[in-house]
Amino acid sequence: NYFDLIISDIMMPVMDGYEMLKELRDNNENVPVLFLTAKSTFEDKSKGFDLGIDDYIIKTAESFLTSAVFWLHHDYSLM
């Protein structure tokens, strides 16, 4: 199965978003991953980018829609 984009929260019941992202990157999965989360501290964002997140979106409808449209129209052939 192939995904063009993963949009995930950080706070999930079984595995948090950081763990999910680490597993993806450890398995050489290069699918773009966006965190859409209420966690807004610098430390939260820094941890995400250190693990290889492609974008970090604080939960508001406007920021989500803007980033989702950008990523869904992104030209992956340049990667």
Side-chain angles (χ1 to χ4, degrees):
N1 293 333
Y2 178 80
F3 296 95
D4 292 320
L5 173 67
I6 296 172
I7 300 172
S8 176
D9 199 341
I10 292 173
M11 298 176 288
M12 299 185 291
V14 176
M15 173 188 292
D16 71 26
Y18 297 124
E19 293 173 82
M20 177 202 67
L21 179 62
K22 183 171 180 348
E23 282 197 25
L24 286 169
R25 298 306 185 232
D26 285 349
N27 289 307
N28 294 318
E29 296 290 341
N30 293 320
V31 61
V33 179
L34 311 181
F35 279 160
L36 174 63
T37 184
K39 295 179 74 76
S40 60
T41 68
F42 176 80
E43 291 79 15
D44 294 323
K45 293 177 191 176
S46 180
K47 183 175 181 178
F49 284 107
D50 287 346
L51 290 170
I53 198 74
D54 293 283
D55 206 352
Y56 193 107
I57 306 162
I58 306 302
K59 282 186 181 177
T60 66
E62 182 179 340
S63 63
F64 168 70
L65 291 174
T66 300
S67 291
V69 167
F70 170 79
W71 282 101
L72 289 174
H73 289 89
H74 190 70
D75 184 358
Y76 296 107
S77 66
L78 299 176
M79 298 180 124

